[in-house]
Amino acid sequence: MEPAFVLHRWPYQDSSFIVELLTREQGRYRVVAKGARRSKSPWRAILQPFTPLLVQSRGRHDLQTLTQAELNGRAVALNGRSLYSGFYLNELVQRLTSPYQPLEPVFDDYQQALVQLASSAHVEPVLRQFEWQMLCHLGHGFDWDYDDQGESIQGEFWYRFVPEHGFCRVPQATTDCFSGSSLLQLGAFELSDPSLLNSMKRIMRMALAPYLGDQPLRSRQLFAQQKGN
């Protein structure tokens, strides 16, 4: 059995679920949890997002059958903004990783991010850190210290971020640019200032866009609705 979290689940046939798991050793994949929707099934209550599990499955590579599942600790208690943030983490993992892509650091960072969301009143720094970690683990990280010409980022200059490319120096400040001094702070992950946090959010959105595809993230839409209420 291996550690796992439920990313999403769907009703299947009369009494089962299809469950998308994130596991530490095999990465993300789907299983059929037969009979899990029945009231007497021990799996009904535990096959939930943000609940640490130990699982085992067998069968076809594209859709295995869950054979064992048990708790591996207490469910992470997420509420309000932290709950929507947890759904956002799940959707990032679903959209950015391939099935059976073994990425143990992603699992560890995901688990740590859930704990941080549950214990912190400020979710944005947790999300930005996880986004950056995902980019790095998937080989899409970029340099915060040097521009696209290999020159050191200088605090007095201005730079534009180009997805899949990095930062390029521009002759003057525009609305879509970032100061070199702010980039140096962001590279050190200094996010205490609201303006820096906003800059990091803009950069992460641009950096993730080529890998997320054209379909909007459902969790972002839910987040926007929650903020509007």
Side-chain angles (χ1 to χ4, degrees), residues 11 26 28-29 32 35 50 97 101 105 114 130 162-163 177 191 215:
Q26 299 184 72
R28 175 178 63 86
Y29 65 96
V32 175
F50 320 128
T97 64
Q101 184 179 9
L114 291 183
F130 185 75
V162 181
C177 293
L191 300 178
Q215 186 176 356

Side-chain angles (χ1 to χ4, degrees), residues 48 63 79 82 88 99 105 110 116 125 130 133 135 141-142 144-146 153 161 198-199 210 212:
Q48 303 277 0
L63 185 61
N79 299 285
S82 65
Y88 175 66
Y110 172 84
Q116 291 174 332
F130 185 75
Q133 289 168 331
L135 285 168
F142 49 87
W144 292 95
D145 298 317
Y146 295 90
I153 298 289
F161 180 75
N198 184 61
S199 293
L212 290 174

Side-chain angles (χ1 to χ4, degrees), residues 80-223:
R81 286 173 60 83
S82 65
L83 178 62
Y84 288 102
S85 298
F87 289 137
Y88 175 66
L89 298 187
N90 286 3
E91 196 167 9
L92 276 185
V93 173
Q94 289 176 290
R95 297 277 287 270
L96 293 175
T97 64
S98 301
Y100 296 100
Q101 184 179 9
L103 292 167
E104 289 187 14
V106 169
F107 182 91
D108 295 338
D109 290 340
Y110 172 84
Q111 188 169 31
Q112 183 179 18
L114 291 183
V115 173
Q116 291 174 332
L117 287 175
S119 60
S120 175
H122 305 288
V123 303
E124 294 286 344
V126 179
L127 299 182
R128 303 294 82 81
Q129 182 176 25
F130 185 75
E131 290 168 341
W132 173 243
Q133 289 168 331
M134 285 292 292
L135 285 168
C136 292
H137 293 322
L138 297 171
H140 306 316
F142 49 87
D143 205 321
W144 292 95
D145 298 317
Y146 295 90
D147 64 18
D148 60 335
Q149 301 300 313
E151 300 291 335
S152 298
I153 298 289
Q154 300 295 319
E156 65 271 23
F157 296 142
W158 291 85
Y159 300 85
R160 180 179 291 113
F161 180 75
V162 181
E164 301 181 282
H165 193 63
F167 297 101
C168 61
R169 183 175 158 185
V170 295
Q172 60 185 16
T174 58
T175 56
D176 62 343
C177 293
F178 305 90
S179 69
S181 59
S182 67
L183 295 182
L184 293 174
Q185 289 176 286
L186 292 176
F189 223 79
E190 297 179 16
L191 300 178
S192 56
D193 184 277
S195 64
L196 288 173
L197 191 57
N198 184 61
S199 293
M200 178 65 94
K201 184 174 184 177
R202 289 170 55 201
I203 293 171
M204 288 297 103
R205 285 208 171 186
M206 289 188 286
L208 288 166
Y211 313 109
L212 290 174
D214 297 330
Q215 186 176 356
L217 288 169
R218 297 186 303 274
S219 52
R220 280 183 184 165
Q221 296 173 331
L222 290 173
F223 219 134

